[in-house]
Amino acid sequence: MATSQRIAVYPGSFDPLTNGHVDIIRRGARLFDRIVVAILVNEQKTPMFTTEDRVAMVREAFAGEPSVGVEMFDGLLVEFAARHGAGAIVRGLRAVSDFEYEFQMALMNRRLDARVETVFMMPAAEYSYISSRLVKEVVMVGGSVTGLVP
Ligand SMILES: Nc1ncnc2c1ncn2[C@@H]1O[C@H](COP(=O)(O)OP(=O)(O)OP(=O)(O)O)[C@@H](O)[C@H]1O
Ligand SMILES: [Mg+2]
């Protein structure tokens, strides 16, 4: 792989992948040569979908798009980024409510490895209210999520 490639990682739980995530991945794919979706394996939230299912969803949504990769990840994000030759972490910002947590994470990751830059992107307005949690809540009470997930 050419070292001049610009690679980004996009970490999250993606439980499940939503059209908000898809929007951010597409924007990232335009900005970077390669974007690796990094699916968190161990986390505090108990996921609804297995890691394998979450990987498969991303694979299916981006089949035939070689610039989008997907991997499982566990442990320190900056180490995952270094292993994949990524100089950037992509994160999505929906509203001011995302800001505080994202700000803390970005500065902590910078402290852990100053070579990795966090890049924030805003989704299209029609996706700005979507979260995996809300999608799951709607499905669980029998509502339709058509148009909100791939
Ligand atoms: N609709 C969206 N538009 C833009 N960015 C988003 C959207 N949903 C999630 N993101 C971003 O994607 C990244 C991964 O988020 P995560 O996997 O936590 O998704 P989530 O939808 O917030 O899930 P949960 O509801 O479980 O927290 C984060 O940077 C988050 O801000
Ligand atoms: Mg979230």
Side-chain angles (χ1 to χ4, degrees):
M1 190 189 293
T3 50
S4 59
Q5 273 219 332
R6 291 195 169 270
I7 301 166
V9 296
Y10 177 38
S13 35
F14 306 101
D15 182 41
L17 181 72
T18 70
N19 284 343
H21 298 133
V22 169
D23 179 286
I24 296 297
I25 295 166
R26 290 241 142 80
R27 286 172 204 282
R30 262 184 255 135
L31 215 52
F32 297 94
D33 297 315
R34 182 168 170 75
I35 180 162
V36 180
V37 179
I39 301 195
L40 210 55
V41 176
N42 284 332
E43 57 172 323
Q44 280 91 333
K45 320 180 215 176
T46 309
M48 172 178 269
F49 296 94
T50 64
T51 318
E52 290 75 17
D53 283 347
R54 288 180 277 149
V55 166
M57 286 183 228
V58 176
R59 253 198 207 122
E60 203 178 309
F62 293 93
E65 293 182 51
S67 60
V68 178
V70 56
E71 302 273 348
M72 302 177 188
F73 113 92
D74 200 359
L76 215 48
L77 178 60
V78 291
E79 281 175 5
F80 177 92
R83 271 206 307 282
H84 287 80
I89 295 167
V90 162
R91 295 289 286 176
L93 276 184
R94 286 164 287 198
V96 181
S97 51
D98 277 337
F99 179 79
E100 194 164 340
Y101 177 70
E102 294 294 340
F103 177 77
Q104 286 186 336
M105 290 295 291
L107 291 186
M108 181 57 80
N109 282 326
R110 178 177 287 165
R111 183 195 158 93
L112 293 169
D113 187 344
R115 296 166 303 175
V116 185
E117 202 62 48
T118 302
V119 175
F120 293 104
M121 278 186 286
M122 259 77 76
E126 68 254 44
Y127 302 131
S128 63
Y129 66 95
I130 305 172
S131 71
S132 296
R133 181 187 54 78
L134 201 52
V135 162
K136 284 181 282 193
E137 278 178 22
V138 169
V139 166
M140 249 131 43
V141 292
S144 166
V145 292
T146 304
L148 305 185
V149 293

